[in-house]
């Protein structure tokens, strides 16, 4: 591009483990080790890949850089909200007619993503709940679909935007069954390093199975709440 600067780009195929979304685990995977988080400090910016200072960004962050460099920060901030500027790629899946990735200004309503872009729920069914950041977020009930998709608004309804991986569940979904499936996922994907995750997901899974088998009690609800907070 008219300069003397050059760089080498290397593409590595990962094993796909959920835990490798954590940055130090990703570094271990790149170095050929087991996907397992590192203790910090040292932080990657000081000692990262092959013990060299390393800056870690996701693909979406890097995709925003060319437009900002070309058009300026003011251009980027014209999209979104004052506190959540710019656009975001929203991944839409689950019970939806047109699943896919949609880039929208931050602050767009959830309903617009689901109904206008996603084409609504198949077979004329209604939305029961939505997971806005995949399985790691709190479910949003159908009466909150007009909530703006920005970081502050999602926090205000006690959920989170996170990766913006929206999973739609229609009125036929058994929420207890769905919660049990999510707990099983995290139990399976846990690296086992920290006791709250390692032990907590084990007990959560047992309690959910007990409830679904008809042997649950009101005390189990309190237990779930305490273990989930941990």
């Amino acid at each position: 591009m008219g300069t003397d600067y050059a760089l080498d780009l290397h593409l590595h195929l990962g094993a796909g483990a959920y835990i490798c979304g954590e940055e130090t685990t990703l570094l271990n995977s790149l170095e050929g080790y087991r996907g397992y988080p590192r203790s910090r400090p040292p932080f990657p910016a000081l000692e990262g890949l092959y013990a060299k200072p390393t800056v870690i960004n996701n693909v979406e962050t890097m995709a925003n850089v060319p437009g900002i460099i070309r058009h300026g920060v003011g251009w980027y901030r014209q999209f979104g909200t004052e506190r959540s500027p710019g656009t975001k790629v929203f991944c839409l899946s689950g019970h939806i007619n047109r699943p896919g990735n949609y880039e929208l200004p931050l602050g767009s309503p959830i309903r617009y993503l689901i109904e206008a872009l996603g084409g609504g729920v198949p077979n004329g069914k209604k939305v029961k709940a939505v997971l806005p950041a995949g399985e790691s977020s709190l479910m949003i009930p159908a009466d909150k679909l007009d909530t703006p998709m920005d970081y502050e608004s999602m926090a205000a309804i006690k959920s989170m935007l996170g990766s913006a991986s929206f999973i739609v569940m229609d009125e036929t979904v058994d929420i207890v069954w769905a919660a049990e499936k999510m707990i099983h996922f995290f139990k399976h994907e846990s690296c086992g390093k920290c006791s709250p995750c390692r032990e907590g997901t084990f007990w959560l899974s047992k309690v959910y199975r007990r409830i679904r088998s008809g042997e649950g009690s009101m005390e189990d609800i309190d237990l779930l709440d305490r273990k989930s907070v941990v």
Side-chain angles (χ1 to χ4, degrees):
M1 298 186 68
T3 73
D4 294 329
Y5 179 76
L7 59 85
D8 294 323
L9 182 65
H10 300 274
L11 184 65
H12 292 265
L13 184 64
Y18 178 81
I19 190 62
C20 288
E22 195 278 327
E23 58 181 21
T24 63
T25 309
L26 179 63
L27 294 177
N28 276 340
S29 180
L30 283 169
E31 293 180 8
Y33 297 114
R34 172 189 172 199
Y36 197 74
R38 301 177 181 179
S39 297
R40 289 168 286 185
F43 293 94
L46 297 177
E47 188 176 313
L49 188 65
Y50 302 118
K52 303 293 184 180
T54 305
V55 176
I56 304 167
N57 289 292
N58 63 35
V59 174
E60 187 175 17
T61 299
M62 301 307 297
N64 283 318
V65 171
I68 295 173
I69 292 176
R70 183 172 300 164
H71 302 292
V73 175
W75 167 84
Y76 183 77
R77 291 188 67 90
Q78 71 176 311
F79 306 105
T81 69
E82 178 65 27
R83 297 181 65 189
S84 294
T87 64
K88 189 162 184 64
V89 176
F90 297 89
C91 177
L92 187 60
S93 64
H95 294 139
I96 195 74
N97 280 309
R98 291 195 295 269
N101 294 319
Y102 298 92
E103 185 175 9
L104 291 169
L106 285 161
S108 302
I110 301 173
R111 190 180 303 278
Y112 178 75
L113 174 67
I114 292 175
E115 296 180 0
L117 300 182
V121 178
N123 304 315
K125 290 185 170 59
K126 297 178 181 178
V127 175
K128 176 179 279 189
V130 178
L131 290 163
E135 297 183 346
S136 59
S137 58
L138 293 180
M139 296 181 192
I140 297 175
D143 62 356
K144 302 290 186 182
L145 293 186
D146 291 314
T147 302
M149 295 184 294
D150 59 62
Y151 298 100
E152 295 74 33
S153 298
M154 299 298 282
I157 61 171
K158 303 186 184 304
S159 190
M160 59 183 287
L161 187 60
S163 60
S165 301
F166 280 72
I167 302 174
V168 179
M169 295 182 285
D170 71 18
E171 57 191 323
T172 67
V173 174
D174 180 337
I175 295 298
V176 179
W177 169 85
E180 183 188 358
K181 295 289 284 186
M182 293 177 217
I183 289 299
H184 175 76
F185 171 80
F186 286 114
K187 178 176 177 288
H188 181 267
E189 292 293 326
S190 172
C191 69
K193 183 173 185 177
C194 303
S195 58
C197 182
R198 182 183 64 248
E199 302 298 329
T201 54
F202 171 79
W203 285 105
L204 285 171
S205 181
K206 288 192 68 172
V207 173
Y208 272 110
R209 284 200 301 270
R210 186 160 66 232
I211 292 173
R212 290 197 64 227
S213 67
E215 299 174 356
S217 66
M218 293 305 297
E219 286 75 16
D220 285 330
I221 304 300
D222 295 332
L223 179 60
L224 286 173
D225 186 53
R226 293 199 306 274
K227 292 298 181 183
S228 297
V229 171
V230 169

